[in-house]
Amino acid sequence: MSISDDLYNSLNNERVFNIIAGPCAIESEEQINKEASFLNSMGIKFLRGGTFKARTAPESFQGLAADGVRMLSRVGNSFNMHTISEAQDTSQLEILVQHLDIIQVGARSMHNYALLEAIGRTDKPVILKRGFGSTVTEWINAANYIHRQGNSRIIMCERGIRTFSDSSRFTLDLAAVIRVRELTPWPVIVDPSHAAGIKNMVIPLAMASRAAGADGLMVEVHHDPENAMSDGAQSLNHNDFKTLIDRLNLINDNRQIY
Ligand code: PEP
Ligand code: MN
């Protein structure tokens, strides 16, 4: 079995509730080192960090690109954590595949079929986020674009969809999590951070996700959210993250959290 298969199997283990955590964007090596050191001390094995950032506004911080990828790789290696970052288009794939363990497809790229097919020709596990305007059927079709090229190491990620509700940034669709787990062989994780857009909703939505049977979570964490260069409003600080783990442990379904 390849390293990618081993890694995918550890993510697709029904006795484990996997947590992928880290900052929205990598801002410096010092910053990602701080987050990784803390998360590692909490037993977390999956470190995320945006390097090529697809921001809603063009004037927002766009990420450190290739430098960020190398920082994430170095820091991940030093803590023995698996690394994850997003590819927005095929031109970014090579450096991500070369340095990192898992490739993320963002909500805004779920319909980028050239990207999906290119990832399908790699052996890397891929986190496929649901487009915020996409149906469950469209999301599964996007996953099939990856699968048809030979890569079945897919992790589906619900991250909230656009509805008429203005109580949060997006509306977390937990019914879709249940449905996609029934309809596909792939694990389904939830990103409560982008769904909520506001920090105080992240922990309750994470608990609800675990209770609904999600296979894991992707959560944004920053040591100093007030000064984060992106998505500070929804990022948990280190103390909040400890509270998240305590609350998730209240839902005892015999799955270990890490
Ligand atoms: C992210 O996870 O960094 C991100 C940009 O999320 P989404 O694609 O779900 O908006
Ligand atoms: Mn973000």
Side-chain angles (χ1 to χ4, degrees):
M1 230 180 355
S2 71
I3 294 169
S4 289
D5 282 325
D6 274 351
L7 174 56
Y8 185 69
N9 290 341
S10 68
L11 270 166
N12 192 17
N13 177 343
E14 60 190 27
R15 282 165 308 177
V16 176
F17 187 75
N18 284 291
I19 302 200
I20 298 166
C24 180
I26 293 177
E27 301 165 3
S28 67
E29 189 140 352
E30 191 193 357
Q31 171 238 14
I32 188 64
N33 204 65
K34 266 188 194 153
E35 318 306 350
S37 165
F38 165 71
L39 293 166
N40 182 54
S41 77
M42 297 290 294
I44 300 302
K45 296 186 175 3
F46 296 93
L47 180 65
R48 66 149 280 154
T51 51
F52 298 99
K53 293 302 298 172
R55 304 300 302 286
T56 302
E59 63 275 18
S60 302
F61 175 58
Q62 301 288 317
L64 298 180
D67 286 342
V69 176
R70 286 185 280 263
M71 284 175 197
L72 179 57
S73 168
R74 279 194 295 271
V75 171
N77 282 338
S78 74
F79 290 101
N80 211 2
M81 295 174 84
H82 306 300
T83 49
I84 297 129
S85 199
E86 176 181 340
Q88 296 164 332
D89 65 52
T90 51
S91 69
Q92 299 162 355
L93 208 49
E94 193 181 329
I95 186 160
L96 292 166
V97 166
Q98 188 187 341
H99 292 284
L100 306 183
D101 300 312
I102 300 176
I103 309 299
Q104 178 172 324
V105 177
R108 289 159 190 79
S109 304
M110 192 207 86
H111 287 289
N112 182 343
Y113 298 123
L115 177 63
L116 299 175
E117 289 188 332
I119 293 173
R121 291 189 288 271
T122 76
D123 70 348
K124 296 284 177 181
V126 48
I127 294 174
L128 178 62
K129 289 201 157 191
R130 179 182 182 184
F132 49 75
S134 305
T135 65
V136 161
T137 307
E138 289 163 342
W139 185 19
I140 294 173
N141 277 328
N144 283 329
Y145 266 89
I146 300 169
H147 179 58
R148 269 180 79 93
Q149 297 299 316
N151 187 354
S152 53
R153 301 172 188 92
I154 297 167
I155 300 126
M156 306 291 273
C157 181
E158 161 65 32
R159 48 78 75 213
I161 53 172
R162 173 105 340 125
T163 67
F164 52 80
S165 170
D166 56 2
S167 58
S168 54
R169 190 172 174 196
F170 294 94
T171 300
L172 183 61
D173 184 4
L174 285 181
V177 173
I178 298 166
R179 192 82 185 113
V180 175
R181 290 186 84 251
E182 288 167 355
L183 291 174
T184 77
W186 303 307
V188 183
I189 65 171
V190 170
D191 170 356
S193 305
H194 289 91
I198 327 162
K199 180 176 118 167
N200 68 4
M201 290 182 180
V202 172
I203 293 177
L205 291 178
M207 292 173 77
S209 302
R210 178 166 161 107
D215 293 285
L217 295 175
M218 173 181 276
V219 186
E220 286 187 342
V221 175
H222 194 286
H223 67 282
D224 181 12
E226 285 72 30
N227 291 305
M229 291 172 84
S230 81
D231 284 349
Q234 69 199 27
S235 296
L236 300 184
N237 66 28
H238 293 182
N239 259 332
D240 301 327
F241 188 81
K242 286 186 183 156
T243 306
L244 166 72
I245 301 298
D246 287 345
R247 297 278 162 81
L248 289 171
N249 271 312
L250 295 175
I251 302 160
N252 185 358
D253 55 15
N254 293 319
R255 287 186 295 171
Q256 222 187 318
I257 297 172
Y258 56 73

